[in-house]
Amino acid sequence: MEEIIVRTKKEREILDITQDVQKLVHEKGIEKGVCHLFVAHTSAAITTADLDQGTDLDMLDAFEKIAPDLQYRHPHNPEHVKYHVLASLIGPSISVLIDKGELQLGAWQKIVFVELGGPKERTVMVNFS
């Protein structure tokens, strides 16, 4: 298993990690298979997205609308519960096919790390099959 360390600078942000993942594919010499990515955090997620200018902010605004401000009962820190909910909805993992040593993504598709409770140092675990 490999790891990508993501250092976020804001409480909420979206970072393109596509090149970091592609670099691992090249370093490991993977020509064909599947790249599995997993975020082992409860207030961060991973997905794919088109990242035209401003799209990251549009996504973060939309995420805020999805998880309403409620009277959360989480004893540790009730203010973080909506970020736990969002991380669960967005998801902790994705799989991307690899062919001829390249990630098989759509023309505008990027692998994005979604920070919901930063700034923090986060770990994305990467495995190939």
Side-chain angles (χ1 to χ4, degrees), residues 53-83:
Q53 186 175 3
T55 305
D56 58 336
L57 299 176
D58 292 341
M59 290 175 67
L60 291 170
D61 289 347
F63 294 153
E64 282 293 319
K65 297 285 185 189
I66 291 170
D69 288 323
L70 300 173
Q71 290 292 114
Y72 293 114
R73 295 173 283 276
H74 185 355
H76 171 66
N77 186 346
E79 294 172 7
H80 284 180
V81 175
K82 74 177 183 175
Y83 302 130

Side-chain angles (χ1 to χ4, degrees), residues 65-116:
K65 297 285 185 189
I66 291 170
D69 288 323
L70 300 173
Q71 290 292 114
Y72 293 114
R73 295 173 283 276
H74 185 355
H76 171 66
N77 186 346
E79 294 172 7
H80 284 180
V81 175
K82 74 177 183 175
Y83 302 130
H84 298 315
V85 170
L86 285 171
S88 293
L89 290 172
I90 299 164
S93 65
I94 62 169
S95 296
V96 179
L97 299 175
I98 302 165
D99 190 42
K100 299 176 185 158
E102 300 296 323
L103 294 167
Q104 297 301 293
L105 295 166
W108 307 107
Q109 197 171 30
K110 304 292 184 192
I111 299 170
V112 297
F113 180 88
V114 182
E115 175 64 77
L116 298 163

